[in-house]
Amino acid sequence: MPKGYWIARVDVRDAEGYKDYVAAAKPAFERFGGKFLARGGEHEKAEGPGRARNVIIEFESLAAAHECYHSPEYQRAVAIRQKVADGEIVLVEGV
């Protein structure tokens, strides 16, 4: 079965507030087996405007990635993140 991935691109406006998001999101990632493959770090904008923070999270399937995003645990974290950061998240099936 193909893996599922979250690809997130984020500009953090409030670094202290973002720590609250990270703590709130952790239970969802643990529950659904999210494995961080990239979490911030150095990057190069090859095309397009880009964002300051880029994250890739692997799940056992696209269904697990979807369930994690839509879980009550993660939706509580979303409410925090949207107050302190701007960005996009896409859920992608692997090959």
Side-chain angles (χ1 to χ4, degrees), residues 18-88:
Y18 197 78
K19 290 177 185 178
D20 295 336
Y21 157 73
V22 171
K26 185 177 179 181
F29 297 136
E30 289 175 347
R31 177 177 169 204
F32 292 96
K35 177 182 174 186
F36 285 83
L37 302 180
R39 189 178 207 172
E42 192 171 332
H43 68 281
E44 174 184 341
K45 292 187 292 185
E47 291 186 34
R51 295 276 187 181
R53 183 173 178 80
N54 301 282
V55 180
I56 301 171
I57 308 169
E58 181 181 76
F59 294 87
E60 284 302 311
S61 65
L62 183 58
H66 174 89
E67 290 169 6
C68 182
Y69 183 83
H70 294 284
S71 70
E73 298 94 333
Y74 189 71
Q75 289 304 302
R76 284 191 288 277
V78 167
I80 297 168
R81 179 179 42 79
Q82 290 177 341
K83 292 177 185 174
V84 299
D86 301 308
E88 303 84 31

